[in-house]
Structure formats: C-alpha cells, structure tokens
Amino acid sequence: MHCRAMHGPGAVPCDDCAALLEYAMDRIEACRFADSKPTCARCTVHCYRPTMREQIRAVMRYSGPRMISSHPYLAVRHLLDRHKTPVTD
Ligand SMILES: [Zn+2]
C-alpha cells in the first residue's frame, strides 16, 4: 500500500520494500513473545535494527489510518494487539 503510493509506478513491492518486508517477517517469526506479542511500537524488546525500525515507522504512519477502510479486520486486530502484555514463559 505504502509502496504503491510512495514508490510507484513500477514493480510493487520495489526492491527496498521487498527487503523490508522480508526483514519484518523474519523478525516476527523470531519474536520471543509469539501469541502474546503486542504491536511493535509497544514491545519491550527492540528487535529491529534502528534503520529498519525507522523505515517500518514511515510505512506504518502511511498505512495505519488507511488500513481502517481497506483492511478493517487487520486494523482491528492491530488495535487489540496493542493491549496485550508481552510475557515470556
Ligand atoms: Zn517501495
């Protein structure tokens, strides 16, 4: 969504966004909180590299408000996740 608006026209996702997406998926996979994972903004463990973190924030700033209309289910899930408390056991 972000890529199409900001980096298009052209291949979507572009190389940068594809790499960022892959990195994010990797991090989520490796997240030690699994099901109790809060949204990354509230997480106690900052597993993203600082540069990647900035890029993700830029994407979220753009996509967050727009997700309500285009992906309401995901947006609601994201809001609910915000209230989770990260626990490891
Ligand atoms: Zn892009």
Side-chain angles (χ1 to χ4, degrees):
M1 202 191 291
H2 165 86
C3 187
R4 201 162 40 226
M6 305 300 215
H7 307 151
V12 173
C14 65
D15 288 352
D16 282 357
C17 290
L20 184 65
L21 184 63
E22 194 176 316
Y23 180 78
M25 289 303 183
D26 249 35
R27 297 285 77 197
I28 288 167
E29 197 101 316
C31 182
R32 52 199 271 225
F33 299 120
D35 283 350
S36 74
K37 197 185 90 56
T39 52
C40 294
R42 278 197 70 233
C43 198
T44 50
V45 175
H46 296 301
C47 63
Y48 281 46
R49 278 202 307 263
T51 49
M52 289 298 202
R53 202 169 135 78
E54 262 316 298
Q55 288 181 51
I56 291 281
R57 283 167 63 102
V59 171
M60 293 296 181
R61 263 198 304 271
Y62 176 84
S63 311
R66 287 164 182 80
M67 264 183 63
I68 309 263
S69 51
S70 47
H71 302 286
Y73 176 72
L74 285 177
V76 168
R77 284 284 304 271
H78 197 68
L79 286 173
L80 291 176
D81 281 351
R82 273 222 299 244
H83 299 292
K84 286 185 180 169
T85 307
V87 284
T88 45
D89 51 19

